[in-house]
Amino acid sequence: MISFLDLKAPYLELKQELDDAIARVASSGWFIGGPEVEEFEADYASYCSAAQCVGVANGLDALHLALRAMDVGPGDEVIVPSNTYIATWLAVSQCGATPVPVEPDACTYNIDPALIEAAITPRTKVILPVHLYGQPADMDPILAIARKHGLKVLEDGAQAHGARYKGQRLGAHGDAVAWSFYPGKNLGAMGDGGAVTTDDAQLAERIRVLRNYGSRVKYVNEVQGYNSRLDPLQAAILRVKLAHLDEWNARRSTIAARYQQGLADCGLSLPYVPGWSEPAWHLYVVQHPQRDALQKALTDAGVGTLIHYPIAPHRQQAYAQAGWTQGAFPLAERMADTVLSLPIGPHMHLDDAAQVVSRVTANA
C-alpha cells in the first residue's frame, strides 16, 4: 500500500533533534510563551522575509485574528475564493463579516484576479487570496486592485510554506499572511499551531494583544480578546523542522516533476505552474471527469488518495442560510466533482511515485 502521507517519517528522520527539543521544553518550566516561541517567531519571520511573526494556536485563528486586527466586523465584506477549504470563509464569518466568493482561474485553481474588481462593494474591507495546494496566487494584480480601492490584503498561506512568487518567498507580499502548522502541512507541528507574518508592526502588536485575552499587561484587558497562543513545545518542534523545510520542499518538487512527466498523456488535467511560480507542492491535484471511479480503482490498486475538497464552501450546510444554489459558482463546483490528490511528501520514495504513475495510467 502506498499511503497518501506518512506523518511518522519526519519524526524518524529528525528523531534526536526533536527529542532534544521536546526535552528542552519539558525541563525549562516555560509552558506558555517564553523564549522558544519568541525564537521560532524570529526564525520564521526571517525565513519569510517578513519583519514580524506572531504565533497563535492554529491556522483558523491566524486568519480570524488577522482580520480582527484589520478591523473587520459586522457589516463588512471580505473577498474570498469560491474554491478553498472552508476555514478561509469561517474566519470571515467569525468576525461577523460576509464572505464574498470569487471564482478561480481554471488553470491554477487559485482566485482569478480578473474577477475580483467586479465583486468589490462599498462594504468590502479585505481581499483574502489563498495559495491553494501550495501554488502561489497571482499577487501583483491582486495588490494593484487593493491599492486602487484602499483595501487590505490578507493571504492564506496555510498550504504554501516556502513557496515563492516571482522569486520571493511568500510571507509579506500583502498586508499579512496567515499560516497553519497542522501536522500534515509542509511545515507541520505535532499538534495544532499557526502564525501571522507581516511587515506592519502595529498590525502584529494588535494580533499579540488579541491572542492573549486582549491583554499586554497581566490582568489589564484592553479589548475583548481570545486565548490563542502557540505553545512552546510546538514552537520548539517547528524550529527543528524549519531548518529542513527547503530540503523537504525540494523532495516534494522531485515527486511532482515525476508525476508531470509520467502522467502527461493519460487523460488527466495536471497542475499548471506559471513561470513566476515556485510551488511548495503541498498537494499534487489532478482533475478527472470520472474522479470517483478513478479513486476507487486506485484504492483497490493500493494507492492512497484524498479529495481536496469534495464540497465547495457555498454548498456546505454551514452556509445554507446564504441561499446559494447549485450552479452559483460553477468552476468551484466542477473542481469539487473532479479533483483528486495523489500521494506526495518529502518522505515518499521515487519507486513509489513510479508505481503511482503506473497505476494511474492503467486506470485513468
Side-chain angles (χ1 to χ4, degrees), residues 24-198:
R24 186 174 67 243
V25 174
S27 63
S28 72
W30 280 96
F31 303 126
I32 299 290
E36 292 286 354
V37 174
E38 293 167 2
E39 288 172 18
F40 170 72
E41 289 174 336
D43 289 350
Y44 195 61
S46 176
Y47 178 83
C48 295
S49 299
Q52 306 279 333
C53 174
V54 184
V56 296
N58 54 68
L60 176 55
D61 283 359
L63 288 165
H64 175 218
L65 297 185
L67 289 169
R68 281 290 315 274
M70 293 175 176
D71 292 320
V72 173
D76 293 330
E77 294 177 350
V78 176
I79 291 175
V80 297
S82 62
N83 180 51
T84 185
Y85 182 55
I86 198 171
T88 312
W89 289 38
L90 292 176
V92 177
S93 300
Q94 286 180 356
C95 294
T98 300
V100 177
V102 168
E103 287 271 72
D105 180 297
C107 295
T108 67
Y109 306 131
N110 281 322
I111 193 168
D112 187 342
L115 303 178
I116 289 175
E117 202 155 18
I120 295 173
T121 76
R123 294 183 296 277
T124 305
K125 202 79 167 279
V126 174
I127 303 173
L128 208 173
V130 178
H131 305 299
L132 196 64
Y133 311 146
Q135 169 87 272
D138 193 358
M139 291 304 301
D140 282 354
I142 293 171
L143 292 169
I145 293 166
R147 292 188 196 101
K148 177 180 175 182
H149 294 273
L151 305 175
K152 296 286 190 183
V153 175
L154 170 62
E155 304 164 60
D156 184 338
Q159 301 181 0
H161 312 79
R164 293 177 184 267
Y165 176 73
K166 297 188 176 179
Q168 179 183 340
R169 277 203 195 103
L170 299 176
H173 286 85
D175 295 282
V177 185
W179 303 94
S180 167
F181 304 125
Y182 182 78
K185 304 299 187 186
N186 291 39
L187 181 61
M190 290 184 177
D192 267 321
V196 179
T197 55
T198 180

Side-chain angles (χ1 to χ4, degrees), residues 160-325:
H161 312 79
R164 293 177 184 267
Y165 176 73
K166 297 188 176 179
Q168 179 183 340
R169 277 203 195 103
L170 299 176
H173 286 85
D175 295 282
V177 185
W179 303 94
S180 167
F181 304 125
Y182 182 78
K185 304 299 187 186
N186 291 39
L187 181 61
M190 290 184 177
D192 267 321
V196 179
T197 55
T198 180
D199 282 343
D200 186 332
Q202 185 176 7
L203 184 68
E205 185 61 18
R206 294 190 73 181
I207 297 169
R208 289 189 184 99
V209 172
L210 286 167
R211 73 175 174 180
N212 188 43
Y213 299 99
S215 175
R216 261 182 271 249
V217 178
K218 195 172 182 67
Y219 302 131
V220 178
N221 302 86
E222 304 168 26
V223 296
Q224 295 179 16
Y226 304 86
N227 175 14
S228 179
R229 298 174 295 208
L230 178 65
D231 74 66
L233 184 63
Q234 302 304 340
I237 290 164
L238 289 166
R239 285 183 67 204
V240 171
K241 289 187 172 184
L242 180 59
H244 299 270
L245 179 56
D246 286 346
E247 179 190 349
W248 287 358
N249 281 349
R251 296 182 199 171
R252 288 175 179 270
S253 183
T254 298
I255 299 293
R258 180 65 59 92
Y259 285 162
Q260 292 287 84
Q261 180 180 12
L263 299 174
D265 300 312
C266 70
L268 297 174
S269 294
L270 303 182
Y272 167 72
V273 181
W276 41 257
S277 173
E278 295 177 47
W281 292 113
H282 173 61
L283 298 172
Y284 187 89
V285 180
V286 300
Q287 292 188 68
H288 191 276
Q290 283 80 47
R291 184 269 314 284
D292 294 344
L294 176 58
Q295 183 180 40
K296 182 181 185 305
L298 291 175
T299 300
D300 293 344
V303 176
T305 62
L306 288 176
I307 299 170
H308 297 87
Y309 300 97
I311 305 173
H314 73 281
R315 299 297 294 155
Q316 293 279 7
Q317 185 178 346
Y319 284 96
Q321 79 283 356
W324 286 303
T325 58

